[in-house]
Amino acid sequence: PLRYPATCTFKGSVESEKYQYIIHGGKTPNNELSDKIYVMSVVCKNNKKVTFRCTEKDLVGDVPEARYGHSIDVVYSRGKSVGVLFGGRAYIPSAQRTTEKWNSVADCLPQVFLLDFEFGCSTAYMLPELQDGLSFHVSIARNDTIYILGGHSLANNVRPANLYRIRVDLPLGSPAVNCTVLPGGISVSSAILTQTNKDEFVIVGGYQLENQKRMVCNIVSFEDNEIAIHEMETPDWTPDIKHSKIWFGSNMG
């Protein structure tokens, strides 16, 4: 059992494993951080019983450090696929730990990792547009592109209204990764994202300040590879939701 791992779906190469699920990082029950990556797939379905298989995947190269509160997505380009990992928090290096700060965490470096699940290779990229290692952000994958929205910077204690577009090109040679800063972002962390149709997503919950829940919801829509974010009509929240200290996406950990 892991808390705050990064998860995503992945189209398998064979029909028996049509859908696979990638799980990376998170906190263990002992409050340690995991650097492991797992691939889970449905082995069979019969008599309404589903059997899963979960295998650990070893990585070589620029292996992402153990972390939580990050994101992982899969992009598809030129008939190939690759995982994209970004953000999160990690414990400060052991050499900097004291008794008082033993479990202190810090933002991970603002690196983008490309993970090749077939060969188990990982490559890190530093993009000048990404200045902060954001945690608990929202990520949306579409074809060869990842959109990063919001997030929390622990170093500055801010939730900037970020909106980044990270595009990955997978030619025969080395991958090409570029980042564009887009206008129209939102300030939010720890929100839930759900897809309502092919070109539309809804963002629910989260925080806009440390102790202030975000009660508005947003619709994220795509048209001709252009992204638009709009507020939607706010649901009639029940009193227990309005007054609860725990919100969608849980607390900041």
Side-chain angles (χ1 to χ4, degrees):
L2 296 167
R3 291 179 294 145
Y4 314 118
T7 61
C8 68
T9 57
F10 177 48
K11 296 176 184 176
S13 57
V14 293
E15 183 64 27
S16 62
E17 296 182 348
K18 186 175 181 181
Y19 293 105
Q20 297 176 316
Y21 306 89
I22 310 298
I23 305 168
H24 179 272
K27 282 188 173 183
T28 70
N30 294 328
N31 216 32
E32 297 172 346
L33 299 186
S34 171
D35 63 353
K36 298 184 182 300
I37 186 165
Y38 299 99
V39 179
M40 189 169 69
S41 56
V42 177
V43 178
C44 65
K45 293 181 180 179
N46 53 24
N47 298 327
K48 298 183 179 180
K49 182 179 180 181
V50 179
T51 303
F52 289 98
R53 176 171 59 220
C54 188
T55 57
E56 184 179 338
K57 191 77 175 179
D58 292 325
L59 293 177
V60 297
D62 304 322
V63 180
E65 66 179 314
R67 62 186 67 200
Y68 71 102
H70 54 304
S71 65
I72 188 169
D73 297 276
V74 176
V75 294
Y76 301 87
S77 169
R78 304 176 189 258
K80 294 183 284 186
S81 64
V82 69
V84 182
L85 186 148
F86 173 72
R89 291 180 187 163
Y91 287 128
I92 60 175
S94 57
Q96 301 175 20
R97 291 186 176 188
T98 63
T99 302
E100 295 78 15
K101 294 184 176 181
W102 191 256
N103 286 329
S104 295
V105 294
D107 297 321
C108 294
L109 292 174
Q111 295 174 306
V112 174
F113 293 87
L114 296 192
L115 311 179
D116 186 319
F117 299 123
E118 182 179 359
F119 298 104
C121 301
S122 176
T123 308
Y125 295 82
M126 291 291 291
L127 306 176
E129 295 82 5
L130 298 171
Q131 296 294 316
D132 297 303
L134 299 165
S135 306
F136 297 101
H137 53 273
V138 172
S139 65
I140 301 175
R142 281 178 57 86
N143 302 321
D144 62 353
T145 304
I146 302 287
Y147 295 88
I148 303 293
L149 290 83
H152 180 254
S153 171
L154 192 63
N156 304 316
N157 193 26
V158 294
R159 291 169 178 79
N162 291 326
L163 177 53
Y164 298 108
R165 180 177 62 205
I166 301 173
R167 186 162 282 151
V168 180
D169 187 21
L170 300 174
L172 288 176
S174 300
V177 184
N178 66 74
C179 179
T180 305
V181 181
L182 301 178
I186 57 175
S187 175
V188 64
S189 67
S190 300
I192 286 177
L193 175 84
T194 188
Q195 188 167 4
T196 51
N197 62 47
K198 177 176 175 290
D199 298 312
E200 190 175 272
F201 300 78
V202 172
I203 297 175
V204 181
Y207 292 84
Q208 58 190 35
L209 293 172
E210 189 70 24
N211 295 310
Q212 186 174 347
K213 298 182 295 187
R214 195 170 186 271
M215 307 301 289
V216 300
C217 303
N218 293 90
I219 293 178
V220 182
S221 56
F222 292 88
E223 185 174 351
D224 297 329
N225 290 324
E226 295 294 324
I227 183 173
I229 305 174
H230 304 286
E231 282 193 19
M232 62 181 291
E233 183 177 352
T234 303
D236 185 15
W237 303 117
T238 59
D240 57 326
I241 289 180
K242 289 180 181 178
H243 304 300
S244 172
K245 292 183 179 180
I246 303 298
W247 190 219
F248 297 126
S250 191
N251 58 26
M252 291 298 297

